Amino acid sequence: MASSVITTGNDLPRAGGGAPSIDRFDSPQLASPGGHYSHIVTHRGVAYISGQLPVTPGGTPLCGEPFEIQARQVLSNLDACLATAGTNRGKLLSVTVYVTDMGDWPAFDQVYKEWLGPGRPARAVAGASELHYGSAVEVHAVAALD
């Protein structure tokens, strides 16, 4: 794990005293979670990254900005979470994208392709009638740590 990781603790008991821990982290590069969740949870060499919205590191939602700006902020936030967990884009296993307008899907796919490069993790896209803050896009991801 990166030294800048802020842990929120491991409050789950270990079965038999030897089970791998479940660790929770918040990225110091992002605004603190606004609800009862962690930015990142790791277990058995896998990082699970909470849905990232187009919110600046200072906590300002970009819901009034054009779709491409929102998409780039979401991916920047995902980068911050990956770095905090000690991993990177190349180790993404699965990405789930939520968009409020499926007409924006081609624009997201182009921004995503530029951001990701040659990597091609498993991916799903889902239309959502509404996202927090009135955002147009949210991304959840799973990445390997090894």
Side-chain angles (χ1 to χ4, degrees):
M1 295 300 140
S3 61
S4 64
V5 171
I6 299 172
T7 182
T8 58
N10 181 5
D11 56 3
L12 298 178
R14 290 184 177 196
S21 66
I22 297 173
D23 295 307
R24 295 160 182 83
F25 305 94
D26 293 326
S27 175
Q29 300 171 24
L30 299 177
S32 295
H36 190 68
Y37 69 94
S38 299
H39 289 143
I40 308 132
V41 174
T42 61
H43 180 64
R44 295 184 180 257
V46 177
Y48 301 88
I49 300 172
S50 292
Q52 296 301 303
L53 292 164
V55 176
T56 67
T60 303
L62 299 179
C63 58
E65 297 294 329
F67 181 83
E68 288 83 0
I69 291 173
Q70 291 189 48
R72 290 183 197 287
Q73 184 64 57
V74 165
L75 296 174
S76 176
N77 293 350
L78 182 54
D79 269 338
C81 289
L82 291 168
T84 297
T87 190
N88 58 62
R89 299 173 194 174
K91 294 186 179 180
L92 284 167
L93 301 171
S94 178
V95 175
T96 304
V97 182
Y98 303 92
V99 292
T100 57
D101 181 347
M102 290 303 284
D104 287 327
W105 177 244
F108 181 83
D109 195 50
Q110 184 59 41
V111 169
Y112 178 79
K113 180 180 176 181
E114 292 167 8
W115 173 81
L116 191 58
R120 294 179 56 196
R123 185 177 72 181
V125 61
S129 62
E130 185 177 4
L131 294 171
H132 196 51
Y133 302 120
S135 302
V137 60
E138 180 172 352
V139 175
H140 163 267
V142 179
L145 295 173
D146 345 274

